Amino acid sequence: MNMHMLSMFHYPFPTLKNPFATVLQDITDNQWIDGEYLSLYKDNPDTRHKYKKTKTAHIASQWFPTASAERLKPLCRLMLWTLYNDDLYEESSPEKIGYVHQRSIAILNGEMDAAEAAIPLGNMLASLRLELLEFIPPESINRFTKMISRYFTGLKAELIYKKNKVFPTIAECIALREDSICLYPFLQLTEVETGIILPSEIHDHPVIQRLQALACRLVTYFNEVQSVTKDEATDSIYYNIVKVIQHEYNISLEEACLEDLRLHNEDLKEFVALQYSLPDFGIWQDAVVNWIHYMSMVLSGWKNISSKLDRYNAMEFPNAADLRQKLNNG
């Protein structure tokens, strides 16, 4: 059913891919997964192989199609971090994620080094911060870090529902998934790709904030249908919008998927309407139009690349028991 349902999600946006995808995937596989971060899964080559098959550099290459190889590198490192972090702490406790949240933000803010933080992914975040500072100013790093914090807040909310085995309402689930899908941080980093640093008053504008919220929700609606089998297998149904819809309305899984699609299409209609009726941003108008254009390509790009990933389509995601063991040892 999943592939049939996923084919019903349509985006009126172009789909481009960065020509440096293969080069960066080689770095991801050999220099990072089997190199810098080998200790995470040193004794578990099967898990490392699954992360390679997720092709995080190819995902980043759909989201940042025009970045130079040098500028694409930190974006690929962030993409790998999001997958590692999601999987590591999906089997955690709300208390543990609060500790990791605080230490992760301290590293990104330059307030704590990786050794002092002593969290499994600390070195990855420290390297990411240094790479990003080569291309964007501290105020942009600060905005990015706030969005990473927002992601952790969503992740903690998920864990509370999972621990208590309680479903949120549909509205509550959409709100927490908007944060935990971890798209907000990537949207800030369009500045790395374009080299254009927009002023804070543009980032704070309600229309720009609404477009970002819609983008996060649109990716989530698609993701929920795509990952429903994975979430059922990992007891993560309490924060999958499709499963929450199914529970709240007491309907079949297929009917819940169709309702998820309806919500998606409503938000897509609003996104397109806002994209083509932007306020006047003066001298920044062209740069803002371009940013929203890049934002739209994230949506079409995610569908294009994720529909090919074994992580969702062949149950090729890390084993929950392996993740729990790593968490307890870490």
Side-chain angles (χ1 to χ4, degrees):
M1 180 188 74
N2 274 20
M3 292 307 295
H4 169 66
M5 283 299 309
L6 292 174
S7 69
M8 298 171 70
F9 287 77
H10 300 290
Y11 301 99
F13 312 121
T15 303
L16 303 178
K17 187 171 182 181
N18 197 296
F20 297 109
T22 301
V23 172
L24 267 298
Q25 190 62 50
D26 183 68
I27 291 173
T28 299
D29 293 348
N30 299 305
Q31 294 184 28
W32 295 344
I33 295 175
D34 284 345
E36 287 181 53
Y37 313 121
L38 175 62
S39 61
L40 286 166
Y41 299 108
K42 185 176 182 180
D43 300 320
N44 199 328
D46 286 345
T47 296
R48 297 203 310 275
H49 180 62
K50 287 177 180 179
Y51 278 113
K52 292 175 185 178
K53 289 179 72 174
T54 303
K55 296 189 179 300
T56 48
H58 286 268
I59 300 174
S61 294
Q62 294 272 183
W63 288 11
F64 301 94
T66 64
S68 66
E70 185 183 33
R71 288 172 177 261
L72 184 60
K73 188 177 179 182
L75 305 170
C76 291
R77 195 187 297 269
L78 174 61
M79 189 67 73
L80 181 63
W81 176 82
T82 62
L83 268 291
Y84 271 169
N85 200 77
D86 262 355
D87 289 340
L88 270 175
Y89 299 110
E90 190 171 58
E91 296 298 325
S92 184
S93 65
E95 297 73 28
K96 176 87 173 184
I97 202 66
Y99 175 83
V100 174
H101 179 178
Q102 180 264 324
R103 302 238 153 182
S104 297
I105 297 306
I107 293 171
L108 288 172
N109 282 333
E111 300 165 351
M112 185 180 289
D113 62 31
E116 183 185 357
I119 55 176
L121 303 179
N123 286 328
M124 194 179 293
L125 289 174
S127 296
L128 175 63
R129 178 176 183 273
L130 292 176
E131 287 175 331
L132 290 176
L133 280 170
E134 294 179 31
F135 306 112
I136 54 178
E139 53 266 33
S140 293
I141 300 285
N142 183 51
R143 186 174 57 254
F144 163 76
T145 301
K146 287 179 179 177
M147 294 305 183
I148 291 288
S149 183
R150 190 168 177 170
Y151 153 71
F152 272 109
T153 299
L155 201 57
K156 184 177 181 181
E158 290 182 350
L159 290 172
I160 292 171
Y161 284 114
K162 184 173 183 176
K163 179 182 179 181
N164 296 330
K165 297 190 181 299
V166 171
F167 285 96
T169 65
I170 295 170
E172 289 168 341
C173 189
I174 291 170
L176 76 87
R177 290 292 285 139
E178 180 186 320
D179 291 342
S180 68
I181 199 69
C182 202
L183 182 58
Y184 273 119
F186 287 96
L187 296 179
Q188 313 316 305
L189 297 184
T190 301
E191 294 184 336
V192 174
E193 180 171 27
T194 64
I196 298 173
I197 311 300
L198 295 168
S200 58
E201 56 264 28
I202 288 179
H203 288 283
D204 295 338
H205 194 286
V207 170
I208 299 301
Q209 293 198 348
R210 179 60 177 169
L211 280 162
Q212 291 184 76
L214 289 167
C216 293
R217 287 164 55 153
L218 287 165
V219 167
T220 303
Y221 290 131
F222 180 84
N223 183 79
E224 306 302 69
V225 174
Q226 183 182 47
S227 62
V228 68
T229 303
K230 171 183 179 291
D231 289 344
E232 287 175 336
T234 57
D235 198 30
S236 303
I237 57 173
Y238 302 102
Y239 46 85
N240 180 302
I241 293 173
V242 168
K243 297 299 292 185
V244 171
I245 290 171
Q246 185 182 13
H247 175 263
E248 188 165 318
Y249 293 155
N250 191 26
I251 55 180
S252 70
L253 183 60
E254 184 173 3
E255 288 171 320
C257 286
L258 289 171
E259 173 60 13
D260 176 273
L261 176 63
R262 187 190 68 80
L263 293 170
H264 169 277
N265 290 345
E266 279 190 0
D267 281 355
L268 179 60
K269 184 178 179 180
E270 183 182 351
F271 183 97
V272 172
L274 288 174
Q275 182 182 20
Y276 289 103
S277 60
L278 291 171
D280 183 2
F281 290 104
I283 62 170
W284 296 102
Q285 190 72 18
D286 288 348
V288 172
V289 169
N290 194 46
W291 182 27
I292 305 306
H293 174 62
Y294 274 92
M295 202 184 295
S296 74
M297 289 194 292
V298 168
L299 305 174
S300 53
W302 176 241
K303 178 184 178 181
N304 185 58
I305 186 66
S306 65
S307 60
K308 303 179 177 75
L309 296 178
D310 288 340
R311 176 182 175 88
Y312 302 107
N313 305 318
M315 301 289 278
E316 289 284 357
F317 46 87
N319 181 277
D322 294 338
L323 299 171
R324 271 195 297 270
Q325 182 179 9
K326 174 60 199 172
L327 197 61
N328 293 334
N329 294 339

